[in-house]
Amino acid sequence: MTQEAQNAVGDYKYGFHDPESATIRFDKGLSEEVVRDISELKGEPEWMTDIRVKAYHHFMEREMPTWGNCDSLAGIDFDNVTYFLRSSDKTEKDWDDVPDDIKRTFDRLGIPEAEQKWLGGVTAQYESEAVYHSIREDLEEQGVLFLDMDSGLKEHPEIVKKYFGSVIPHTDNKFSALNTAVWSGGSFIYVPKGVHVEMPVQAYFRINAKNMGQFERTLIIADEGSSIHYVEGCTAPTYSTDSLHSAVVELIAMEGAKIRYSTVQNWSANVYNLVTKRGVAHKNATVEWVDGNIGSKLTMKYPAVLLKGEGAHAEVISVAYAGEGQHQDAGAKVHHLAPNTTSSILSKSISKNGGRSSYRGMLQVTPKAAGCRSKVICDALMLDEDSRSDTYPTMEIGNSTADLEHEASVSKVSGDQLFYLMSRGHTEEEAMGMIVNGFFEPFTRELPMEYAVELNRLLELEMEGSIG
Amino acid sequence: MTEVLLRVENLHVSVGDTPIIQGISLEINRGEIHAVMGRNGAGKSTLANVIMGHPAYQITSGAIHYKGENIEDMEVFERARAGVFLSFQYPAAIPGVQVGTFLRKSVASVRGQAPSPRAFRKELNEAMKQLDMDKSFLSRYVNEGFSGGEKKRLEILQMLLLQPHLALLDETDSGLDIDALRIVAEGINAVAKDTGCLIITHYQRLLDLVKPDVVHVLIDGKIVESGGPELALKLEKEGYDWLDALA
Ligand SMILES: Nc1ncnc2c1ncn2[C@@H]1O[C@H](COP(=O)(O)OP(=O)(O)OP(=O)(O)O)[C@@H](O)[C@H]1O
Ligand SMILES: [Mg+2]
C-alpha cells in the first residue's frame, strides 16, 4: 500500500477497499432522468417508477429537516454524489459465482463463515445491490420470504405495492424522499402467520466507491403471531471525500407479532449517516430496535415505533460512540396511539476526543392512549473534558393516565476505576476499553454473539492510541 | 537465602501540597509477613497505594525499591506485571464487566499470555472452591452491588490467580464474617510462603490466623514503632495513646 493510501485508510479497521468494479455507474448528481433510468434499468413496474419520480420532485422541493443536528447537513453536496452503481450484473445465489475482488472483501469480513456458523440467511449488500443472497432451506419451507429488495419487488410485487411507503411515505422528510427516488438494494422479508424464525437473519452493507451514496430500502412484514430477528451490520472503508448513506427501513408487526431489528453500524469517519427507521406495532405486537452507532461524520437516526394497536409494545436500545470530529445525534421516537401500550427506551452514549453525542427523543401520547406506560433512560459517559453530551427529550402528552419515567445521567470514567484495572496489569487503554465495553454491555448482551464480540473488539481498537 | 523484595527508604509522599507520608523506611523479604497498624487517617492506604503507583500521590523524597530497582517511573500496570498486587480497601465497581471476563483478562495481562481456556477454568474452579465462592460470581459485574465481604473475597481470589511476589493487603479482613475471615486467612497463608506480604489491619483477629513476622505502627505518616507479633497484642489491649509521645 502506498503511504498515501495508508494515510487515507488510517486506523480504521475495515478501511481496506477493492478497486471499483462497477459495470454500470451513473454520473454524479441527480435529475428526473437519472431516477427514470435507475427504474428502467431494474425493469421495474410503472407504479414504482411513478413513486420514484414523485419522490424525486418532493426531494427537490423539500426543506432540510429541522429535527436533529441540522446545521451539519449543510456539508452535504448532493451534486457530488453518485446515485446508482451496480457492482455485479446479477444477484448471485452461489458464493462461488461472486466476483473475486468482492469475495475478497467479504472474506475479510468473515461473512461466509459467519453464515455457516449461525446465520439464518445472509444478504450481503455490496454497493447498491445484493450480490450474494442465500436463505436456509428450512426458512423457505416455512414460507418465509427473504430477498434483496429488488428481487422482492420482482417476485412479490403485490406485497411490496401494499406496504412500500406505508410506514414511511416519501413525504416524511427530505431524506426519505431521496431514498424513495433512488433506492436500490436493502432487504425484503415477509414472515407468514404464526411462523417463528428462530435464528437471526442477517445482512451486511458496505460502501466501497468514492462518493457513493447508499440508499437501501428495507421492508419487513411479520404477519399475525409471527416473529423474526433481523440483524444488519455495516462497515465502510475510509475515503477522503464524504459519502452519504440514507436508508429507509419500514417494519410492520401485525397483531401479536414481534420484530426485532438489530444494527451495528461502523461507518468510516466521513460518512453522513441519515437513516429513517420506523415500525408499526398493531394489537399486542412488539417492535424492538437495537441500534448501535459507531463512526460516521454525522449520524442522525431516531428509530421510531408507532404503537397503533391496543397492548402494543416498543423497545429501543441504542448506543452511540462519538470520537474526534464525529457527531452522533441519535435517539428514539415512540408514539403511543392506542390504549395500554408500553414502551421502553434505553440510550447509552460515549464521547471521546472532542466527539459529541446527543440523545434526541420524542415521546408522544395521544388522547386516545389511556393507561400507557413508558420508561426512558439515557446514560452518557464522557472520556475526557473536551467531549460533549446533550439530551433533548421532547414529550407530547395528551392523556393524563400515562405513567411516564425519565432518567438521565452523565458520568465520567473515574480515576479509581482506572487505577483498579491498571493494578490488575491492564494498560490505561485496555482499562478504558473494559470500562467502555462494560458501559455498553446492556446493549451488547442483546446482540447475537458474533456481533457482540466484534463490537467489543471495535471499541477496544477505538481506545488504542487514544490516551496521551 | 533472603531476598529483599521491597525496600522503602525514608519515603515522603504528598497529595498536592499536603504531606501525608513523612519518612517511612521498611524492608520486606520474600516469605515475610509485615503488618501495618494505626489509627484512621494515619497514611496506611496511602503507603499501599503509592507502592502500587497511584497517580494521585507524589513522592517528594525517598525511594521505593522492588526487587532491587527503583520503581518510581514504572507505570501501575508494569508494577502489576512485575508481581506487585494490591488488595483494595475499597475496590472499585466496574459496571457491565463480568467477573469471569475480568479475571481471565487480568491473568492474561499479568502473565503476559492468555492461559488456555481449559487450564484457566480448572485453576479458577480450584481457587473459588478454596475461597468457598459460588460460580454465580463469575457472571456478576465486578464489585457492582457486592457486599463488603464479597468484595474482599474477590480481591483474594484475584491474589490467588495472579500469584504476586509482593502482596499489599489493605484491610482485607474488614467486613468479613468469622468463616470468611478464616477462609481468607487460609488464602493468604497459601501464598505467603513465596511472597512478601504487607498486611494493613485494625484487628488482632486476622493476625491470630496470619502470623506476622513484623508489626509496624503508623502515626501521622511515620512508623513510630516496629516489633514482633506481641506489639499487635499490646495495641489490642492498650490502643495507640501510649505511642503518641513517640510520634
Ligand atoms: N487522594 C487524596 N486526596 C486528599 N487527601 C488524601 C488523599 N489520600 C489520602 N488523603 C489523606 O491522607 C490521610 C491518610 O489517608 P489514608 O487513606 O492513607 O489513611 P489510612 O491510614 O488508610 O486510614 P483508614 O484506617 O481510615 O483507612 C488522610 O487524612 C486522608 O484524608
Ligand atoms: Mg485505609
Side-chain angles (χ1 to χ4, degrees), chain A residues 417 420 424-426 441 460, chain B residues 81 86 106 141 155 158:
Chain A
Q417 288 176 318
Y420 187 70
R424 279 17 176 185
H426 306 289
E441 201 274 348
E460 280 161 12
Chain B
R81 291 178 189 182
L86 171 60
S106 299
Y141 299 145
E155 294 295 288
Q158 293 176 62

Side-chain angles (χ1 to χ4, degrees), chain A residues 414-428 430 434-435 437-439 441-442 445 460, chain B residues 49 52 54 76-77 80-81 85-86 88 91-93 95-97 102 105-106 109-110 141 143 155 158:
Chain A
S414 83
D416 285 347
Q417 288 176 318
L418 285 175
F419 180 55
Y420 187 70
L421 293 174
M422 288 174 75
S423 78
R424 279 17 176 185
H426 306 289
T427 64
E428 190 169 352
E430 288 165 352
M434 284 170 89
I435 293 168
N437 281 342
F439 179 75
E441 201 274 348
R445 73 163 166 240
E460 280 161 12
Chain B
N49 282 328
M52 194 72 238
H54 196 296
V76 178
F77 73 90
R81 291 178 189 182
F85 176 83
L86 171 60
F88 284 67
V97 176
F102 168 67
K105 288 192 169 186
S106 299
S109 286
V110 167
Y141 299 145
N143 290 320
E155 294 295 288
Q158 293 176 62

